[in-house]
Amino acid sequence: MMLDSLMWALGRGSGLTGFALLTLALLLGVVAISGRALFGVPRFAWQSMHRDAALVSVALVVVHVIALLLDPYAQLTITDVVLPFRAEADTFWVGLGTVAFDVLVALAVTGLARRRIGPRVFHSIHLATYALWPVAAAHAIGSGSDVNGWAAVVTVIGIGGGAWICSLVLKARSAAWRGGLQPLPARRLPDTSERTMR
């Protein structure tokens, strides 16, 4: 019985903390791609903090999933963790969690393999983060049987932070659409006009 309570607390705590860190990682990522030093901190430092927060959030979500697999109340199976909308209880909300987990794992794997897959593929896949966050937020609200007290505070801060992040991204995109961002200069190609055939 005590082990069941421990798994219940560990599952909920790690899930909410993972969500909070995911929000932080998203915010740090937006700051890092802005290309500017903020508060005197250079861009590479923001990128490093973004990666660290993202990796810790992935680790916490893995703990969340393992704890729920061991929690008899949750009644999850390995299939429920991999294939969305298969769980017997709270099918929709748990399914959203499965979708978020699958996307998070894909992002973590491609993030670790960034040099092998190349920057274009990495950035294309990384855009899924903006879809991952609201799905994770909906999962936290819908499947959390205990979203009150400190859990509610974490969820509200996470959702508020995510909304703020979305506003920053939209503002940056809108500036780009209005021509506020200058394109990179074109690369000069070598001049071959003076070459002669012999």
Side-chain angles (χ1 to χ4, degrees):
M1 192 69 165
M2 180 147 182
L3 183 61
D4 295 350
S5 299
L6 177 63
M7 289 300 108
W8 182 87
L10 183 62
R12 274 69 180 168
S14 58
L16 285 167
T17 311
F19 175 64
L21 274 172
L22 177 66
T23 303
L24 178 63
L26 194 58
L27 175 59
L28 291 169
V30 169
V31 172
I33 63 171
S34 72
R36 298 181 183 139
L38 189 64
F39 306 121
V41 179
R43 181 182 175 191
F44 75 88
W46 290 110
Q47 288 173 329
S48 179
M49 289 187 286
H50 162 69
R51 270 192 307 270
D52 292 345
L55 286 172
V56 174
S57 74
V58 171
L60 284 168
V61 170
V62 168
V63 170
H64 170 65
V65 169
I66 291 171
L68 291 180
L69 283 170
L70 298 174
D71 180 6
Y73 175 76
Q75 298 178 350
L76 289 182
T77 65
I78 296 289
T79 307
D80 300 332
V81 171
V82 178
L83 299 175
F85 310 110
R86 299 284 303 264
E88 290 184 16
D90 290 332
T91 305
F92 178 72
W93 300 113
V94 173
L96 290 179
T98 302
V99 170
F101 179 69
D102 291 346
V103 172
L104 191 61
V105 169
L107 288 168
V109 169
T110 54
L112 294 172
R114 181 177 183 170
R115 291 185 181 178
R116 291 181 181 229
I117 63 175
R120 272 182 198 241
V121 175
F122 169 76
H123 287 299
S124 298
I125 296 171
H126 219 63
L127 289 175
T129 306
Y130 297 112
L132 163 67
W133 187 88
V135 172
H139 166 70
I141 294 169
S143 65
S145 58
D146 57 338
V147 181
N148 53 46
W150 68 270
V153 170
V154 170
T155 305
V156 167
I157 289 173
I159 290 171
W164 183 46
I165 291 164
C166 290
S167 72
L168 290 176
V169 171
L170 290 173
K171 185 176 178 183
R173 296 286 182 231
S174 144
W177 291 330
R178 286 193 314 265
L181 300 178
Q182 297 299 321
L184 293 173
R187 293 176 62 188
R188 283 186 68 185
L189 298 174
D191 187 6
T192 58
S193 60
E194 294 182 7
R195 289 187 183 172
T196 57
M197 295 182 65
R198 293 187 181 181

